[in-house]
Amino acid sequence: MINVAIMGYGTIGSGVAEILETNKEIIAKNVGQEVALKYVLDLRDFPGSPVEDKVVHDFSIIEKDPEVQIVVETMGGLNPSYPFVKACLLAGKHVATSNKALVAAYGTELLQIAREKEVNFFFEASVGGGIPIIRPLYRCLMGEKILNITGILNGTTNFILTKMDKEGWAFDAALKEAQRLGYAERNPEADVEGHDTCRKIAILTAMATGKEVNYEDIYTEGITGISDVDFRYADKMGMSVKLFGSSSMGEDNLVKAYVAPIMIDRNHPLYMVSDVYNGIMVTGNMLGETMYYGSGAGKLPTASAVAADIIDAAKHVNRNVPMGWNSERQAIAPMEANEFRYFIRMAGQPEERLGSLMELDPEEAVTLEGMDEFAVVTRPMLEADFKELTAGLDGLIKFIRVEQ
């Protein structure tokens, strides 16, 4: 029998416990033996719950129990998750986590400890919730050179943008609705400012390159500057706005990675990814484009990904599965090295102002009734060139990058 401990009995942790009980026969068949929950570490007691008799408040009980072979971390944050996970690995226990902040900040160190101790540090649920994406990168696509990863990686921001797009909501109203439904935290900064997406694309980029990626090196822009007016223009142009996390792996060992709102047209594969769903496109040099779609958050979808990691660890209980990345630092190109088209809104009327935009080679101007402004989409150009050409441009209201 394989014994499991869960650290953190919140939404995801309770979901993992539920799956271990509900699907225990399926799990046992896959592993070859029973997988049982022995401990739940939490500050609370949960009287009357199915885990009432398993709750402990002292981490050392889990750390020092030789019968616990797999530990699940679903506490979130970095403290005490980081020291607890590190201690578990050092004690020779496998760890499965859903904590993207932990993986992004300390993944390199924790993966190295796991290798040295012949155990595993798995984190399928840290990106994309229930969508399988980490394991496909190190198993299904192991014969590919990954050229590009682009995804809608945050369900909260996608829900907000969908409300703005499909129902004409203003940003503040859509955010309040996301909070009411439990999709957004009381402090939504990590989501709406793009930090959550940044950590996830950093993890995926590290998986693709095999090198450490510091999320702080990735240009990150959230959705707080996107308005319902932008969506009115986008609709007239046959486009929408999505928050993308993207990375491109070039031949020169330099990675172009960013997080930013991007305008895409109706033919783009990610155009129909709406509400709290996530979609991730991965391009390999031989396979071409693949797409992964599903629930990017939620109790059972995320817990399902954790359960898959538990099974993987249980099937490799005596050895380390090669995956992840090493400690070599991956260089990230500045945002100015990326190439886009640009949607720009200008004050005034087209017949008066288009002359000042000729160097941008704009497409036909689009106007909205009753507004003294217009919008155009430029030719493709490097961000550095766009900024140089628009520096001090009179009447520029805003710009949004457009997928080529």
Side-chain angles (χ1 to χ4, degrees):
M1 183 170 70
I2 302 288
N3 285 299
V4 176
I6 296 173
M7 301 191 298
Y9 195 69
T11 301
I12 309 306
S14 62
V16 174
E18 182 178 339
I19 290 174
L20 288 176
E21 176 60 29
T22 303
N23 288 355
K24 59 184 177 183
E25 293 180 4
I26 296 172
I27 293 170
K29 182 178 179 181
N30 276 290
V31 173
Q33 59 181 308
E34 182 183 355
V35 176
L37 178 61
K38 185 171 185 180
Y39 299 118
V40 170
L41 178 71
D42 206 286
L43 296 174
R44 299 159 292 179
D45 288 314
F46 306 103
S49 78
V51 300
E52 180 181 7
D53 61 335
K54 297 177 172 62
V55 175
V56 297
H57 305 303
D58 182 359
F59 166 69
S60 65
I61 294 173
I62 293 172
E63 180 187 16
K64 295 176 181 178
D65 188 340
E67 291 185 352
V68 174
Q69 294 163 287
I70 302 171
V71 178
V72 172
E73 186 278 306
T74 53
M75 295 181 289
L78 298 178
N79 190 24
S81 60
Y82 165 59
F84 284 6
V85 166
K86 183 176 180 179
C88 288
L89 293 171
L90 288 170
K93 303 178 190 297
H94 303 268
V95 174
T97 182
S98 61
N99 189 342
K100 65 262 183 184
L102 175 69
V103 179
Y106 295 106
T108 304
E109 177 189 5
L110 298 174
L111 282 164
Q112 183 56 37
I113 294 171
R115 294 182 192 110
E116 292 170 357
K117 291 294 181 177
E118 282 293 317
V119 292
N120 292 289
F121 177 59
F122 288 141
F123 44 90
E124 180 65 63
S126 68
V127 179
I131 304 173
I133 185 61
I134 300 295
R135 195 164 280 106
L137 285 174
Y138 73 84
R139 284 195 176 163
C140 308
L141 303 178
M142 65 173 62
E144 293 285 320
K145 174 178 172 54
I146 304 302
L147 302 177
N148 183 272
I149 301 173
T150 296
I152 296 169
L153 301 171
N154 182 276
T156 301
T157 52
N158 205 41
F159 174 84
I160 292 170
L161 293 175
T162 299
K163 282 291 184 185
M164 296 173 72
D165 184 12
K166 306 301 183 187
E167 300 180 37
W169 290 33
F171 172 81
D172 289 342
L175 171 57
K176 287 180 181 178
E177 179 69 359
Q179 290 171 320
R180 185 186 72 82
L181 294 171
Y183 298 147
E185 302 289 341
R186 182 175 299 176
N187 179 1
E189 180 180 353
D191 293 323
V192 300
E193 297 293 351
H195 305 314
D196 177 82
T197 297
C198 177
R199 284 167 172 79
K200 292 172 180 176
I201 196 62
I203 293 168
L204 293 178
T205 305
M207 289 295 302
T209 62
K211 299 178 183 179
E212 180 183 50
V213 174
N214 187 338
Y215 64 90
E216 294 179 339
D217 293 341
I218 298 175
Y219 174 87
T220 301
E221 180 182 324
I223 65 169
T224 54
I226 303 300
S227 72
D228 52 331
V229 175
D230 298 325
F231 276 104
R232 289 171 61 193
Y233 278 115
D235 183 61
K236 290 194 74 170
M237 294 175 169
M239 295 195 286
S240 185
V241 182
K242 304 288 188 181
L243 183 68
F244 276 7
S246 183
S247 63
S248 297
M249 282 55 79
E251 297 294 335
D252 54 1
N253 201 35
L254 194 64
V255 171
K256 297 176 182 177
Y258 64 84
V259 174
I262 302 292
M263 271 195 175
I264 57 174
D265 67 32
R266 289 170 181 160
N267 295 319
H268 195 288
L270 296 175
Y271 179 88
M272 296 302 294
V273 179
S274 302
D275 295 314
V276 294
Y277 285 89
N278 284 190
I280 307 166
M281 292 175 58
V282 179
T283 304
N285 67 328
M286 297 290 109
L287 176 63
E289 286 187 352
T290 58
M291 183 170 167
Y292 307 82
Y293 169 83
S295 297
K299 176 180 177 177
L300 293 178
T302 305
S304 175
V306 177
D309 281 347
I310 293 172
I311 293 170
D312 209 356
K315 293 174 73 172
H316 300 93
V317 72
N318 293 316
R319 70 181 181 90
N320 174 263
V321 176
M323 61 88 71
W325 55 88
N326 61 37
S327 59
E328 183 181 352
R329 186 75 164 267
Q330 175 61 58
I332 305 293
M335 188 60 170
E336 287 73 16
N338 287 277
E339 185 175 83
F340 303 94
R341 295 183 295 153
Y342 295 86
F343 162 87
I344 60 175
R345 284 170 53 191
M346 292 287 294
Q349 294 301 309
E351 57 270 18
E352 302 167 353
R353 305 302 308 278
L354 275 176
S356 63
L357 303 176
M358 286 301 101
E359 288 187 276
L360 302 175
D361 192 18
E363 296 177 1
E364 184 178 352
V366 176
T367 58
L368 296 177
E369 186 176 350
M371 299 191 69
D372 187 27
E373 65 169 74
F374 66 96
V376 295
V377 174
T378 74
R379 62 177 168 84
M381 66 186 78
L382 291 175
E383 178 124 342
D385 295 335
F386 173 77
K387 288 185 174 180
E388 181 179 347
L389 290 171
T390 56
L393 179 61
D394 184 44
L396 177 62
I397 298 172
K398 69 158 42 168
F399 74 87
I400 300 173
R401 298 167 185 89
V402 180
E403 179 87 344
Q404 292 195 65

